[in-house]
Amino acid sequence: MTVRVLLATRNPGKIVELRRILAEAPGAGPMEVLGLDDVPAFDQAPETGATFTENALAKAREAAVASGLPALADDSGLSVDALNGMPGVLSARWVGRHGDDEANLELLLGQLADVPDERRGAAFVCVAALVTPDGGETVTRGEWRGSVIRERRGDGGFGYDPVFVPAGERRTSAQLLAAEKDALSHRGRALRALRPALHALSSLSR
Ligand code: ITT
């Protein structure tokens, strides 16, 4: 039987990546990945958690309860060393409103303008939560170290990708091929760690 999994996110950049990474899972069995537009609308509470884990679990629980389907949520962001880990859980609304990637990125570059190259370290973090309607919960985490450069480069990816150069790379994450980003990224790592739980779903439904 095909397992149905609901992606509990409205971020278009994430949806593309999550679908892509889930599609590459070897031997996972047939899986139908649904988006929030494929299920009846439900109220989504504001993200008030202090940690990626709290937020990812809250989003996945809410979606699983409302839809009756296994739900997968991703809470992610950029943790900048020189900002003591911020924007962190506030990455999507760093400028004071939600989802304006361009303005968030511009604000971050301004904040880091006087920070020297050797102190521009950062990490993308992704916590993925899979919650089943019977209350089963699995949480995984992925991190991707790198540094924040001073000007945008590349037009792939989304969010802060044009200013993030992964450790050991010269290109920004917006200049990597999609498969290269997935192989290294915080999201790729978190979702690959979730594979056993996704496999368990498909074997339960057989
Ligand atoms: P949902 O809650 O609906 O999933 P959201 O955009 O509000 O969408 P988050 O609260 O997890 O999600 O915020 C994630 C933000 O972190 C996102 O808006 C980007 O600014 C940044 N971010 C996360 N992963 C990224 C990536 O791979 N590349 C660039 N920026 C990323």
Side-chain angles (χ1 to χ4, degrees):
M1 207 172 90
T2 303
V3 196
R4 299 204 299 160
V5 176
L6 174 61
L7 287 187
T9 171
R10 293 235 173 252
N11 181 316
K14 279 188 194 177
I15 293 172
V16 168
E17 293 190 6
L18 291 169
R19 283 186 179 275
R20 205 165 65 202
I21 300 164
L22 288 173
E24 84 195 8
M31 192 191 313
E32 186 184 350
V33 181
L34 303 179
L36 289 172
D37 291 337
D38 299 318
V39 297
F42 57 90
D43 284 338
Q44 290 179 276
E47 280 175 44
T48 54
T51 64
F52 294 112
T53 302
E54 283 173 47
N55 283 334
L57 269 172
K59 289 189 272 192
R61 283 176 186 150
E62 179 180 70
V65 168
S67 66
L69 293 168
L72 195 172
D74 153 328
D75 201 62
S76 50
L78 184 66
S79 261
V80 177
D81 300 346
L83 297 176
N84 292 324
M86 290 284 117
V89 291
L90 301 178
S91 292
R93 57 206 131 107
W94 192 229
V95 80
R97 57 184 179 273
H98 184 266
D100 189 339
D101 282 2
E102 188 54 38
N104 286 333
L105 193 157
E106 195 60 43
L107 177 60
L108 180 73
L109 287 183
Q111 290 165 329
L112 298 183
D114 293 333
V115 176
D117 290 352
E118 63 275 17
R119 287 202 291 108
R120 297 179 69 95
F124 272 128
V125 178
C126 173
V127 172
L130 178 68
V131 173
T132 53
D134 64 5
E137 298 188 339
T138 310
V139 177
T140 59
R141 182 185 180 93
E143 292 200 17
W144 195 18
R145 285 291 310 173
S147 56
V148 179
I149 56 167
R150 294 174 187 279
E151 72 297 313
R152 297 167 177 66
R153 281 201 265 123
D155 49 20
F158 65 101
Y160 300 93
D161 278 330
V163 294
F164 180 80
V165 173
E169 256 298 329
R170 300 175 70 92
R171 295 169 294 172
T172 66
S173 47
Q175 293 175 304
L176 299 181
L177 298 173
E180 290 176 313
K181 181 176 177 188
D182 295 346
L184 299 168
S185 80
H186 51 316
R187 187 162 293 104
R189 290 172 211 241
L191 281 225
R192 284 190 289 276
L194 208 55
R195 272 182 193 161
L198 290 164
H199 285 209
L201 278 185
S202 51
S203 47
L204 284 178
S205 67
R206 267 184 207 136

